[in-house]
Amino acid sequence: MNEMYDMSIVTHNMSVMGILAVILVNLVMLLGAQDIRRYAKRVRIFMPMSATMIAVILFTGIVMMAAKHLNFSVENVIMIIFGIALIFLELTRYKKLKHLDIGKEDALKTYKSIGLKILNIEFFVTLLISAWMLL
């Protein structure tokens, strides 16, 4: 049981680093975007990576909770809330892109402001929670 718990901690930490990398890649893609159509196509291709990383984080968290016999602590509750918030933020970002009028000239500028806000929130909250958990 200890081996499973230790392995899930390492996997969980690596997946948190992975989601930080995915958020950074999304930020770089958004900052470098020149054409909204090309950007939307790239995001649709890259979207499963974000979803997979979030799923890995949630799954390893569930494994660790099961190893601790479902002992709810403050850290566990905060992680559950964070997971739900991360899913909500990603869905909001994709929904904004999906319902964007691509034909408008300022569509990319409009989406960049929204997308950057969401990605910055995701990045800094993930970074803060990671730092808090390491302390």
Side-chain angles (χ1 to χ4, degrees):
M1 191 64 96
N2 283 338
E3 291 84 14
M4 182 175 74
Y5 185 73
D6 292 339
M7 183 188 72
S8 65
I9 287 176
V10 171
T11 308
H12 192 70
N13 289 336
M14 295 303 283
S15 60
V16 169
M17 288 183 219
I19 195 68
L20 282 171
V22 167
I23 292 170
L24 283 175
V25 168
N26 278 319
L27 274 168
V28 169
M29 281 188 344
L30 183 57
L31 290 172
Q34 301 296 324
D35 181 32
I36 189 68
R37 293 172 202 261
R38 282 181 142 174
Y39 173 75
K41 186 176 182 179
R42 287 183 187 153
V43 167
R44 282 188 210 105
I45 292 171
F46 201 70
M47 192 182 323
M49 183 82 66
S50 299
T52 301
M53 292 310 297
I54 293 170
V56 168
I57 290 171
L58 294 175
F59 179 75
T60 55
I62 290 169
V63 169
M64 289 190 304
M65 280 188 63
K68 293 192 309 187
H69 304 289
L70 298 176
N71 186 12
F72 281 93
S73 63
V74 173
E75 292 87 3
N76 291 347
V77 173
I78 289 173
M79 287 293 188
I80 291 168
I81 293 169
F82 169 69
I84 293 168
L86 197 58
I87 291 169
F88 176 75
L89 288 169
E90 282 292 307
L91 285 174
T92 303
R93 188 170 67 89
Y94 295 135
K95 189 183 255 187
K96 295 286 186 187
L97 183 62
K98 182 179 177 183
H99 296 295
L100 190 66
D101 187 8
I102 295 176
K104 288 188 177 179
E105 190 173 308
D106 64 338
L108 182 60
K109 184 179 176 184
T110 303
Y111 179 74
K112 267 189 178 183
S113 65
I114 296 167
L116 284 174
K117 285 179 189 174
I118 292 172
L119 287 169
N120 283 330
I121 290 169
E122 288 179 11
F123 181 76
F124 287 115
V125 168
T126 305
L127 200 61
L128 286 173
I129 289 181
S130 299
W132 179 56
M133 288 299 151
L134 290 176
L135 296 177

